Amino acid sequence: MASEDITKLAESLAKTKVGGGQLSFKGQSLKLNTAEDAEEVIKQIEEFDGLEALRLEGNTVGVEAAKVIAKALEKKSELKRCHWSDMFTGRLRSEIPPALISLGDALIAAGAQLVELDLSDNAFGPDGVRGFEALLKSPACYTLQELKLNNCGMGIGGGKILAAALKECHRKSSAQGKPLALKIFVAGRNRLENDGATALAEAFGIIGTLEEVHMPQNGINHPGITALAQAFSINPLLKVINLNDNTFTEKGAVAMAETLKALRQIEVINFGDCLVRSKGAVAIADAVKEGLHKLKELNLSFCEIKRDAALTVAEAIEDKTELEKLDLNGNCLGEEVCEQLHEILEGFNMASVLGSLSDDEGDEDDDDEEEEDDEEEEEEEEQQQLKERGAEEQESLTPKKIIDSQASTPVPSPPVDVATFLAFPSPEKLLRLGPKCSVLIAQQTDTSDVEKVVATLLRISSVFKDEAPVKTAVHETTDALMKKAFGSATFNSDAFITNLLVHMGLLKSEEKIKTVPSLYGILMTLNHMVQQDYFPKSLAPVLSAFVTKPNRALDSCSFARHMLLQTLHQL
């Protein structure tokens, strides 16, 4: 590091705030790429006795710097709050998971008991969730109360991984007699959509201790909203629900209104820009009128609410003495109704709570039939999209009943044989092959033919999932196949690894070979394979060399790549 850079870093660190058990590097724009870059930061951490909160927001931390910072954190057992938002500015997405893994492993090793984890504004995507998945499942997070993941680009996949980790954390912590008692969950602007929201709803229903949920701008429609509503009803301590800028429509709004009737601690409802429409607004007004005596803020702005429904909402807040703000801006009211709203609230001595109506869309004469037509049109469009996406995905979009669920009559599944699975592999088909699936596939694969072994292995690994039954089935089937292949005296191991690398797109071939669309499954399967006794250790250096090389396909699976390389390094 140049002397002028050291001087600049020293000046930045001079601004470091220390106090109340907190060490803050917030907003110092530190560029920590190497271990040398991080020396002063490490020194501050190591010399800080009783470190309870570490703020790294507004800096940029690379993989190597993260490793050495992590080393310093391994001795900080009293750390409770990690304010680590916006700390990977300018980093490649592939750099973030390894950095998070290092930091997470350090917290686990230290025996820390976290209360707050904030990783907001780090654009790490689904793979980034893998980076702190182990941390979430560990004893370090059994005490977690606040989890903030705003604007991280998690997507549906990341939402599902996160939900599974939270459920596992709750299961493990419950076994220790102290169940996870998460209070605040923040995950706005993450493109969770229906599937991600439904997965998280399952986790929320299990946890049951939430006080604040912030999930704005996630592209959630009424199936996801309904799932969340069911989950919220099992969280009686809820005070704040912020689902701004999602799409409720009447169905979602009615489901949410029913849940609100069961909640007694609600203080803030933010359903602005959620298209609850008039019927939804009336349902929410009924819930407000029946209870919610602690309500401080109700936001139904930009929801296509019309005259009568808006007046119903205003009348519903008559006895809400704690109310500080009612936001009905951006709806379809007209000047006359805006005046009526003021008059009604003045009659309750509550005129001051009504927010600005400057963006009112004006009186619209469209009747309810037209509104219903719009909703029916939207429903038909959604159903068509579901059909196009296939029955399997349609099932995953349907919110699972969290309360009082009744099992529907099962539809008999068509029989599955090995040929069917290998032709059109899916996790469900592998499981439906039964407990003998590993033996059946190994028996029916000609292991003297290297290409057939590679093709079969790729099909098996393509259905890999982190869910225990599927993961186990993939591992057992892989073991049976590869133990048979490597155990044969005529099997050419070198030809196998070459052929596999070609199909993974990591090695060029003179022939046109169709490579696998995603390397995640095969990388995770290889991570298991290389640890088994049947795997020739002579192949490990070859595999390591090609997985280490820069490759776009590998960049999109950085977590799986990191796991495999870590395992290969330990062999």
Side-chain angles (χ1 to χ4, degrees):
M1 186 184 280
S3 59
E4 58 268 26
D5 292 332
I6 295 173
T7 303
K8 185 177 179 182
L9 179 60
E11 289 174 356
S12 294
L13 291 171
K15 301 173 186 175
T16 300
K17 295 178 182 177
V18 178
Q22 174 176 283
L23 177 61
S24 176
F25 300 95
K26 182 178 179 180
Q28 294 184 21
S29 301
L30 301 175
K31 294 180 180 179
L32 308 178
N33 298 315
T34 65
E36 186 183 2
D37 294 340
E39 281 179 358
E40 288 297 325
V41 173
I42 294 164
K43 184 182 177 184
Q44 296 258 11
I45 293 172
E46 289 177 339
E47 292 178 353
F48 196 112
D49 292 328
L51 180 64
E52 294 184 8
L54 177 62
R55 307 196 76 105
L56 292 173
E57 311 104 306
N59 299 291
T60 179
V61 181
V63 177
E64 292 305 314
K67 284 181 181 177
V68 291
I69 291 172
K71 195 70 179 172
L73 291 176
E74 286 180 359
K75 298 176 182 177
K76 300 299 175 181
S77 61
E78 296 177 359
L79 188 62
K80 292 180 174 62
R81 298 184 182 274
C82 298
H83 302 278
W84 294 350
S85 63
D86 188 25
M87 69 173 206
F88 296 110
T89 306
R91 298 289 167 187
L92 295 174
R93 239 169 73 167
S94 60
E95 292 181 83
I96 302 175
L100 288 174
I101 288 170
S102 296
L103 293 167
D105 287 349
L107 297 177
I108 297 169
Q113 293 185 312
L114 295 185
V115 172
E116 179 179 359
L117 177 61
D118 186 356
L119 292 170
S120 299
D121 300 315
N122 291 310
F124 46 58
D127 282 346
V129 185
R130 298 275 184 200
F132 61 92
E133 180 185 19
L135 173 63
L136 278 182
K137 293 178 179 179
S138 76
C141 284
Y142 290 177
T143 50
L144 195 64
Q145 295 180 17
E146 301 180 30
L147 179 58
K148 300 174 182 178
L149 300 165
N150 202 56
N151 191 31
C152 292
M154 290 190 290
I156 294 171
K160 288 182 175 180
I161 296 166
L162 175 61
L166 288 172
K167 288 192 286 186
E168 182 71 0
C169 181
H170 186 272
R171 185 187 69 79
K172 288 182 175 180
S173 58
S174 296
Q176 297 292 320
K178 294 183 179 180
L180 171 67
L182 192 66
K183 294 181 179 180
I184 297 174
F185 180 82
V186 182
R189 300 181 66 187
N190 271 292
R191 305 190 310 277
L192 294 170
E193 300 182 19
N194 289 329
D195 282 11
T198 301
L200 285 166
E202 289 184 49
F204 296 163
I206 291 168
I207 293 168
T209 56
L210 289 168
E211 295 181 11
E212 294 185 22
V213 176
H214 302 264
M215 296 173 66
Q217 296 182 25
N218 270 298
I220 308 170
N221 299 325
H222 76 76
I225 296 298
T226 302
L228 288 171
Q230 292 169 340
F232 292 165
S233 67
I234 317 174
N235 284 265
L237 302 177
L238 265 175
K239 296 178 181 178
V240 178
I241 302 177
N242 176 7
L243 295 173
N244 190 287
D245 199 7
N246 289 291
T247 308
F248 281 41
T249 64
E250 180 190 338
K251 282 190 175 182
V254 169
M256 195 60 72
E258 284 302 308
T259 286
L260 290 174
K261 291 178 182 178
L263 300 175
R264 295 286 178 266
Q265 307 300 321
I266 288 291
E267 296 178 3
V268 176
I269 298 172
N270 186 344
F271 297 160
D273 205 10
C274 283
L275 202 67
V276 303
R277 293 190 171 134
S278 293
K279 288 185 178 179
V282 170
I284 292 168
D286 287 344
V288 171
K289 190 171 185 177
E290 286 184 22
L292 307 187
H293 296 293
K294 296 183 179 181
L295 189 64
K296 294 180 179 179
E297 182 179 334
L298 175 60
N299 185 346
L300 295 175
S301 60
F302 299 93
C303 281
E304 292 192 7
I305 299 170
K306 297 179 184 175
R307 297 167 296 184
D308 293 344
L311 296 175
T312 301
V313 171
E315 289 166 355
I317 66 168
E318 179 178 2
D319 61 345
K320 309 305 167 200
T321 55
E322 301 292 320
L323 195 70
E324 297 171 1
K325 185 178 182 181
L326 171 63
D327 193 345
L328 290 170
N329 200 18
N331 287 299
C332 312
L333 309 181
E335 188 177 337
E336 184 180 339
V337 176
C338 288
E339 290 177 2
Q340 283 182 274
L341 285 174
H342 281 288
E343 288 173 7
I344 290 171
L345 294 174
E346 279 176 3
F348 302 153
N349 292 319
M350 299 175 70
S352 61
V353 306
L354 184 62
S356 169
L357 297 172
S358 59
D359 293 318
D360 183 62
E361 295 290 332
D363 186 11
E364 291 187 4
D365 294 326
D366 300 340
D367 56 24
D368 287 341
E369 284 183 11
E370 194 164 332
E371 184 176 303
E372 288 171 7
D373 288 343
D374 287 343
E375 291 192 19
E376 286 172 8
E377 208 171 294
E378 185 178 38
E379 289 293 318
E380 289 170 6
E381 193 175 321
E382 283 183 11
Q383 290 302 320
Q384 185 59 35
Q385 287 174 350
L386 290 174
K387 286 176 184 176
E388 290 172 359
R389 290 174 67 180
E392 182 180 321
E393 194 162 347
Q394 180 173 348
E395 185 179 355
S396 72
L397 280 171
T398 305
K400 296 183 179 178
K401 297 292 181 184
I402 298 172
I403 335 168
D404 300 327
S405 61
Q406 294 182 348
S408 57
T409 305
V411 179
S413 302
V416 174
D417 55 21
V418 172
T420 304
F421 166 73
L422 292 177
F424 304 101
S426 73
E428 292 75 17
K429 287 175 187 168
L430 182 62
L431 294 176
R432 274 162 52 198
L433 280 171
K436 293 185 177 180
C437 64
S438 57
V439 177
L440 292 171
I441 291 175
Q443 285 177 346
Q444 296 183 39
T445 303
D446 181 5
T447 51
S448 65
D449 188 330
V450 167
E451 288 194 8
K452 285 185 179 177
V453 172
V454 169
T456 302
L457 175 63
L458 289 172
R459 284 178 172 84
I460 294 167
S461 63
S462 71
V463 306
F464 179 90
K465 281 187 174 181
D466 284 321
E467 287 90 337
V470 178
K471 185 177 181 180
T472 302
V474 169
H475 286 172
E476 289 178 352
T477 308
T478 298
D479 289 342
L481 173 68
M482 299 314 302
K483 190 173 183 180
K484 179 185 175 185
F486 287 126
S488 170
T490 58
F491 187 71
N492 189 329
S493 299
D494 292 334
F496 164 78
I497 199 72
T498 300
N499 196 292
L500 179 62
L501 290 169
V502 167
H503 281 276
M504 290 173 68
L506 305 182
L507 181 63
K508 290 184 180 179
S509 171
E510 293 180 3
E511 300 176 11
K512 285 189 177 180
I513 300 290
K514 186 178 180 181
T515 58
V516 292
S518 171
L519 293 180
Y520 181 75
I522 185 61
L523 289 172
M524 293 301 284
T525 303
L526 283 169
N527 185 53
H528 168 79
M529 269 178 59
V530 300
Q531 299 177 64
Q532 309 310 310
D533 292 337
Y534 61 72
F535 186 81
K537 297 299 180 274
S538 60
L539 299 182
V542 180
L543 189 57
S544 180
F546 280 92
V547 176
T548 304
K549 285 183 178 180
N551 186 289
R552 280 187 182 178
L554 288 169
D555 288 343
S556 63
C557 303
S558 55
F559 171 78
R561 178 191 204 177
H562 172 80
M563 292 291 289
L564 176 57
L565 287 173
Q566 194 174 45
T567 301
L568 288 168
H569 181 70
Q570 292 170 356
L571 291 178

